[in-house]
Amino acid sequence: MQDKHSATETPLELIQGALDLLGSCLDITEEAGATTHTVVLVRGLDDSSVAVAFGRYLVGVLAGAVGHDARISADLLAQGVDAQDELRKKVVSLVGETNNFISDGEILFRDTKRNAWVAEGVVHGIMVLRASYPSDCVAGDVQAVASIHAIPTQQGLDSVALYLDGEQLVVAIGECKATAENGTSELTKAAQIFSDIDQDQYGAQLRSELMTFRAVISADLKPQVSDALWRNSRCYLPFIAHETEFDLHAKRAVLDRLSPPVNRKRLIALRIENFHAFFNTVADAMRSAVSQVVI
């Protein structure tokens, strides 16, 4: 798909344009066949324009243009030469100065830090998209999203959001893994995080996120946002970005044991045909977008 970016676009137009392109190109649909969980396929990631759009979007997130209400806004958007320089350094720290990874240390950075952080950013974008674009990622419109991690290896849950299922708010908790070849083992690792949540090991973070969400949620829904919400109404979203195919529909005991019902254990599969090329393109787009987003 042709890149329609114009040099006359404002930063917000660039970021919103990236989201709109993602909304039109990504096909996020449920697929029947699994018994212990629900499979959701994300198609459309192999178009280079999609990777570019994610890169621009992520720079917008880092620059403060995406709020907890899943809306694009200039209220906290960084501006000026100093902010641009700060943002450029931040982008380089996250994705590197180039896509040349030769030494063992450079390859380790690519695989465990750069790709991991970009994948978390892709998840953030998918959840923000669900506020405006229908998809099968979750059952209803997203009402609030947590901030993306500031550093690639930051401890804590990768993604927390609120969505509306009918009239009931649900806490969507995502764990993201990026792996070229080891989808099954990474899914098992993600499931362990959800098991820890079932054992109340993430209560402090979830309460903190819900407190933040109360500030942006609509008044009619605010009474639902309490500590009881994440305990009684939650959805687990293992996001697995991968290249080598694995059996998405196989019975997974690690998912079967988790407390939510099958329709709220949603394996989001992001298969990318050329795994490293996707992440390279996102990184290139991020480095290029700094001067377009912060002016």
Side-chain angles (χ1 to χ4, degrees):
M1 180 173 294
Q2 186 178 2
D3 182 0
K4 297 181 179 180
H5 169 61
S6 168
T8 62
E9 283 181 311
T10 68
L12 289 191
E13 288 171 341
L14 182 77
I15 300 162
Q16 186 61 58
L19 267 178
D20 291 341
L21 185 144
L22 294 172
S24 65
C25 290
L26 294 182
D27 177 24
I28 305 175
T29 53
E30 188 175 314
E31 184 172 276
T35 59
T36 56
H37 56 282
T38 299
V39 172
V40 178
L41 302 180
V42 180
R43 298 182 178 91
L45 293 166
D46 295 307
D47 191 311
S48 62
S49 68
V50 168
V52 170
F54 270 120
R56 291 173 178 167
Y57 169 77
L58 289 177
V59 173
V61 171
L62 292 172
V66 183
H68 289 292
D69 59 356
R71 298 289 186 268
I72 305 299
S73 169
D75 292 347
L76 293 176
L77 180 63
Q79 297 181 8
V81 175
D82 290 343
Q84 186 184 101
D85 185 57
E86 177 188 0
L87 180 61
R88 183 173 290 105
K89 291 176 181 176
K90 184 62 180 176
V91 167
V92 168
S93 75
L94 290 167
V95 301
E97 292 187 27
T98 72
N99 296 329
N100 299 320
F101 302 103
I102 299 171
S103 70
D104 289 346
E106 290 167 341
I107 292 171
L108 184 67
F109 169 80
R110 179 195 68 187
D111 293 346
T112 64
K113 294 184 179 180
R114 184 197 73 164
N115 290 356
W117 187 87
V118 168
E120 286 186 29
V122 168
V123 168
H124 191 276
I126 287 173
M127 298 308 294
V128 167
L129 275 175
R130 191 60 183 86
S132 304
Y133 288 88
S135 80
D136 289 341
C137 178
V138 291
D141 292 346
V142 164
Q143 307 293 308
V145 293
S147 299
I148 194 170
H149 287 160
I151 55 177
T153 55
Q154 185 172 332
Q155 296 298 308
L157 301 172
D158 290 342
S159 172
V160 183
L162 289 181
Y163 71 90
L164 199 58
D165 188 353
E167 297 182 354
Q168 171 68 49
L169 282 176
V170 181
V171 182
I173 304 170
E175 181 66 17
C176 178
K177 300 296 182 182
T179 174
E181 299 178 351
N182 302 310
T184 295
S185 61
E186 291 302 307
L187 174 58
T188 299
K189 293 177 185 177
Q192 183 56 55
I193 298 296
F194 300 131
S195 179
D196 291 343
I197 296 169
D198 277 357
Q199 300 302 315
D200 290 345
Q201 294 186 31
Y202 284 87
Q205 181 181 349
L206 288 164
R207 281 189 291 273
S208 176
E209 299 292 8
L210 290 178
M211 189 179 303
T212 300
F213 293 161
R214 280 185 63 87
V216 300
I217 207 77
S218 63
D220 58 317
L221 296 175
K222 193 169 292 187
Q224 294 189 41
V225 185
S226 68
D227 183 62
L229 182 59
W230 77 265
R231 296 182 183 279
N232 301 327
S233 184
R234 62 182 182 265
C235 175
Y236 289 153
L237 303 171
F239 289 84
I240 310 297
H242 62 104
E243 180 174 283
T244 302
E245 294 189 40
F246 65 104
D247 191 348
L248 302 174
H249 300 85
K251 184 175 181 178
R252 303 285 181 182
V254 291
L255 297 179
D256 195 30
R257 290 192 291 265
L258 299 174
S259 62
V262 168
N263 68 321
R264 289 189 181 171
K265 292 180 285 192
R266 306 178 72 79
L267 168 54
I268 316 294
L270 304 95
R271 181 163 184 272
I272 304 166
E273 288 189 7
N274 195 332
F275 189 80
H276 292 301
F278 173 84
F279 289 95
N280 286 345
T281 302
V282 173
D284 283 338
M286 290 182 66
R287 289 185 287 260
S288 295
V290 170
S291 60
Q292 300 165 345
V293 170
V294 176
I295 58 178

